[in-house]
Amino acid sequence: MTNSNFVSRVWSYLVLTMVLFVAACGNAAAPRPMSESEPSATLKRPDANQEAISKVQDVPISKLDGNTFKLEDYRGQVLVVDFWATYCGPCVKQAPELSAMYLKYKDRGLTLVGLTSDPKSDQDKVEDFIKKVGINYQIGFDNSWISEAFLKGTEDDTGQPPIPQLFVISRNGKVVEHLIGEQPGRMQYLEKVVNEQLSAAR
């Protein structure tokens, strides 16, 4: 094989690899808000995509101020991750309840992160909502790496993962609870799980 043929093949391989990588990064279906008229759903999956979730905890997440953070930053604390959006009725309804829970337990080691699927072009809308509702916890923009790891396997008949979805992550980075949608008593159950994790031995 001549040098030019070898270089050509290597270049073609690299281009193909880049195309596949870009496609893989963008193939996560956008979350779909659950309608309040839909049947409520709760799914408890302590092993929910654990390996994939562990791998993305050091993926940078964009904050509203342009800086980034990582879920790994909260290792050692009990972490609740909320997948939500301003256009999702149940998400909007639960935001003040999450703020109240965070205020109640943050001094015991609870951290709460809300990952919005609103596009960055709607940042003003997200910021207005945060002020209006009084959200007091970290908000970031969801990205395809994070949503693919956390939400894969929860797609409904539309092919999209519904929101809201809540994950409780233990101090050592393991998913211990996973809730989808809304139902009566859901927040009380979430608080019970959080309390148990906060009380567990380090």
Side-chain angles (χ1 to χ4, degrees), residues 22-23 27 36 46-47 61 64 80 94 107 116 153 187-188 198:
V22 171
N27 69 355
E36 294 189 45
D47 60 345
I61 298 169
L64 298 176
V80 173
Q94 80 174 6
D107 291 339
T116 179
M187 295 306 296
Q188 290 86 346
L198 291 172

Side-chain angles (χ1 to χ4, degrees), residues 32-41 88-90 162-164 180-182:
R32 180 186 70 83
M34 291 191 74
S35 163
E36 294 189 45
S37 64
E38 290 182 86
S40 298
C88 165
I163 50 176
I180 300 177
E182 64 170 352

Side-chain angles (χ1 to χ4, degrees), residues 5 7 49 55 121 181:
N5 284 343
V7 171
N49 304 334
K55 289 180 179 178
S121 58

